[in-house]
Amino acid sequence: MAEVLPHPERSEIQIESVLQALADPVRLRFVRELAKLGCDGAPCGSIDLPVTKSTRTHHLRILRESGVISVRPEGTSRISTLRRDDLDALYPGLLDSILAAKR
Amino acid sequence: MAEVLPHPERSEIQIESVLQALADPVRLRFVRELAKLGCDGAPCGSIDLPVTKSTRTHHLRILRESGVISVRPEGTSRISTLRRDDLDALYPGLLDSILAAKR
DNA sequence: ACCGTACTACGATTGTGGTCGAACTACGAC
DNA sequence: GTCGTAGTTCGACCACAATCGTAGTACGGT
């Protein structure tokens, strides 16, 4: 499926990109679902989004390249996990406050 | 200059709109400058942005309508203030973490 | 080997957001 | 009153982002 999926290092993560990534309703929804599922992550396809597969791939890429999630291949599927530790270290309280917001 | 400038009530502020508002580099910069100036606010024109007046008006509107800042007329000028209390109440830690981010 | 599943890549379309310039309004000073 | 300053509004333009469909790749099973 793929060679290597590039992820930014913690030090390369930029607040602007993170905000940009979280500002889209589809991506925000995905992140919320991810957070609800706990820390072990979930296959991309298991979270249903109101978009087609190719659009989902697009959004996952934005989230991955901004440093919000990390994606690892697992068989024919891919597991997405929230980069909680990195985000909490860089922007303590950011993720929590966003996830805690009722809507 | 203007009748009333509509601001959302605290209960009407939505996290999506806030993130959307903060996701733009020009607006983020404006918010940072505002925060640096303290809580008494500043006239819109006193914060220089690399855009024209009309673009600035546009950005201020986004920030105001999303609930990030409040704007009150003062003579021929307008004073913008960060809605810190509202944002802190709704999303504790959000603003702090964003403002604390080095870049 | 073949097939199905899971996802990616590419190209095209469409919509939206940021930008500007020009014209307009409101206020204060003179 | 006139003038200048500070912002707004409108229309247009341009760039980018979201969306989709189609075609392609990778992996696991049979």
Side-chain angles (χ1 to χ4, degrees), chain A residues 22 25-50 56 60 63 68-69 80-82 84 95 98-99 101:
Chain A
L22 295 175
V26 174
R27 292 194 289 266
L28 185 57
R29 172 169 169 179
F30 185 84
V31 167
R32 283 177 196 265
E33 301 279 344
L34 255 195
K36 218 185 309 180
L37 289 180
C39 48
D40 38 348
C44 302
S46 78
I47 294 180
D48 72 295
L49 296 174
R56 178 199 318 255
L60 290 192
L63 287 170
V68 176
I69 67 173
S80 305
T81 56
L82 250 186
R84 260 199 172 279
L95 207 52
I98 291 175
L99 293 175

Side-chain angles (χ1 to χ4, degrees), chain B residues 1 24 26-27 51-52 54-55 58-59 75:
Chain B
M1 191 156 318
D24 181 272
V26 174
R27 292 194 289 265
V51 292
T52 63
S54 51
T55 305
H58 166 69
H59 285 308

Side-chain angles (χ1 to χ4, degrees), chain B residues 4-17:
Chain B
V4 234
L5 297 175
H7 292 74
E9 296 288 326
R10 176 185 292 191
S11 63
E12 294 169 340
I13 297 179
Q14 295 179 4
I15 184 70
E16 292 198 6
S17 308

Side-chain angles (χ1 to χ4, degrees), chain B residues 53-64:
Chain B
K53 280 191 303 177
S54 51
T55 305
R56 178 197 317 253
T57 298
H58 166 69
H59 285 308
L60 290 192
R61 175 136 86 132
I62 304 284
L63 287 171
R64 173 174 50 81

Side-chain angles (χ1 to χ4, degrees), chain B residues 9-92:
Chain B
E9 296 288 326
R10 176 185 292 191
S11 63
E12 294 169 340
I13 297 179
Q14 295 179 4
I15 184 70
E16 292 198 6
S17 308
V18 172
L19 290 174
Q20 189 95 22
L22 295 175
D24 181 272
V26 174
R27 292 194 289 265
L28 185 56
R29 171 168 168 180
F30 185 83
V31 167
R32 283 177 196 265
E33 301 280 344
L34 255 195
K36 219 185 306 180
L37 290 180
C39 47
D40 37 349
C44 302
S46 77
I47 295 180
D48 73 295
L49 295 175
V51 292
T52 63
K53 280 191 303 177
S54 51
T55 305
R56 178 197 317 253
T57 298
H58 166 69
H59 285 308
L60 290 192
R61 175 136 86 132
I62 304 284
L63 287 171
R64 173 174 50 81
E65 291 182 344
S66 67
V68 175
I69 68 175
S70 86
V71 182
R72 65 170 193 276
E74 186 141 326
T76 166
S77 186
R78 295 199 170 188
I79 309 290
S80 306
T81 55
L82 250 186
R83 295 181 63 174
R84 258 198 173 282
D85 41 355
D86 288 323
L87 292 175
D88 285 348
L90 288 168
Y91 318 116

